[in-house]
């Protein structure tokens, strides 16, 4: 049981390049999330998904796109990377019971630098 | 607009003493609060939570207190251990939002020998 895994762990991009971050979970969770963490800012929600084939915007969605084609995978795409997207990206997942609360399980993070 | 605030960026405590980490929130709709712990180069891990219908929740050395009137919660760690040295994030959520979390900026706790 690997939990939540993220690929890659590190990446350096040049401005304007594109890339996709992959998140996978093996806990059969319905909900998945992408966050970014910047110094002094805590974690901010980029996009999230409440099930296969669904996505929704979070707090800071601009410049990012996501897809949830399979329940276990949640992809985060940067079409044209900008230096402001230099950050550590965390994926998380949780159970789907919206009438109660379930903790989110986080992946180890992807450190992205955009030059 | 920072809805969840952790005003102390860092805290240093001696081993064996109590660590108290504080968190304030502004959105009165929040009804569930969580604390996450994060080590360097790792993802956050869930530590303890509390529902707004309670004012205290305890799990071993960790206790979370909630004061709804003051919109304030705190995490107490007793006794503090060197392995507790990490960044602690306070987070909040409310029903009907797909368990989305709003995080504070974190407090770095250092437990010294």
């Amino acid at each position: 049981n690997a939990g939540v895994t993220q690929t890659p762990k590190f990446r350096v991009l040049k401005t304007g390049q594109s890339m996709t971050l992959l998140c996978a979970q093996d806990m059969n969770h319905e909900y998945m999330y992408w966050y970014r963490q910047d110094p002094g800012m805590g974690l901010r929600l980029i996009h999230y998904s409440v099930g296969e084939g669904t996505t929704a915007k979070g707090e800071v969605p601009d410049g990012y796109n996501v897809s949830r084609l399979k329940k276990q995978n949640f992809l985060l795409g940067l079409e044209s990377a900008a230096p402001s997207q230099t950050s550590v990206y965390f994926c998380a997942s949780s159970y789907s019971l919206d009438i109660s609360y379930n903790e989110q399980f986080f992946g180890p993070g992807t450190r992205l630098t955009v030059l | 607009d920072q809805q969840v605030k952790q005003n102390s960026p860092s805290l240093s405590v001696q081993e064996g003493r109590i660590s108290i980490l504080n968190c304030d929130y502004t959105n009165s709709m929040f009804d569930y609060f969580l604390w996450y712990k994060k080590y360097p180069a790792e993802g956050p891990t869930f530590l303890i939570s509390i529902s707004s219908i309670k004012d205290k929740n305890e799990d071993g050395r960790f206790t979370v207190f909630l004061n709804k009137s003051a919109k304030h919660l705190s995490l107490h760690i007793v006794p503090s251990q060197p392995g507790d040295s990490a960044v602690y994030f306070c987070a909040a959520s409310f029903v009907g939002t797909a368990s989305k979390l709003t995080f504070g900026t974190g407090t770095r706790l250092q437990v010294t020998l």
Side-chain angles (χ1 to χ4, degrees):
Chain A
N1 190 339
V4 179
T5 58
Q6 293 182 233
T7 307
K9 288 185 168 47
F10 303 93
R11 186 72 186 269
V12 178
L13 289 179
K14 293 181 179 179
T15 297
Q17 288 185 318
S18 64
M19 77 162 295
T20 300
L21 283 68
L22 171 63
C23 175
Q25 52 93 5
D26 60 2
M27 296 174 283
N28 201 33
H29 286 170
E30 288 291 337
Y31 291 176
M32 295 188 75
Y33 314 83
W34 275 107
Y35 293 89
R36 60 178 288 173
Q37 184 193 8
D38 302 296
M41 299 289 288
L43 281 81
R44 293 181 294 169
L45 183 65
I46 304 171
H47 286 280
Y48 66 101
S49 168
V50 299
E52 182 178 318
T54 72
T55 63
K57 294 180 180 180
E59 181 185 354
V60 288
D62 294 342
Y64 305 95
N65 57 74
V66 288
S67 63
R68 184 99 181 268
L69 299 180
K70 293 183 179 181
K71 184 178 182 179
Q72 64 268 34
N73 296 336
F74 195 28
L75 279 63
L76 178 71
L78 287 74
E79 290 186 347
S80 179
S84 60
Q85 294 178 302
T86 294
S87 187
V88 181
Y89 292 85
F90 290 100
C91 177
S93 68
S94 72
Y95 294 108
S96 65
L97 297 176
D98 209 30
I99 57 172
S100 65
Y101 296 91
N102 302 279
E103 77 235 38
Q104 293 182 16
F105 295 81
F106 283 81
T110 295
R111 184 173 294 275
L112 175 66
T113 301
V114 182
L115 302 176
Chain B
D1 178 27
Q2 192 75 27
Q3 298 186 66
V4 178
K5 301 177 184 178
Q6 294 176 257
N7 293 318
S8 298
S10 63
L11 175 67
S12 182
V13 173
Q14 277 190 322
E15 182 181 11
R17 306 292 289 267
I18 183 171
S19 294
I20 300 176
L21 293 87
N22 294 305
C23 178
D24 297 293
Y25 62 96
T26 57
N27 190 340
S28 58
M29 293 187 67
F30 288 139
D31 57 6
Y32 199 73
F33 304 89
L34 307 89
W35 285 94
Y36 279 82
K37 176 179 181 180
K38 185 182 180 303
Y39 292 117
E42 295 183 10
T45 55
F46 170 75
L47 190 58
I48 192 169
S49 63
I50 187 166
S51 165
S52 60
I53 62 173
K54 297 184 176 180
D55 55 18
K56 177 183 175 181
N57 189 26
E58 191 172 356
D59 184 2
R61 297 187 296 114
F62 302 91
T63 303
V64 56
F65 296 91
L66 175 63
N67 182 333
K68 284 180 292 184
S69 61
K71 295 190 178 69
H72 177 83
L73 63 156
S74 61
L75 174 68
H76 292 211
I77 306 174
V78 183
S80 299
Q81 299 174 354
D84 296 329
S85 297
V87 177
Y88 290 79
F89 289 99
C90 170
S93 185
F94 55 94
V95 69
T97 61
S99 297
K100 290 187 296 180
L101 296 175
T102 300
F103 282 86
T105 53
T107 296
R108 182 178 302 277
L109 173 66
Q110 182 175 8
V111 180
T112 59
L113 299 174

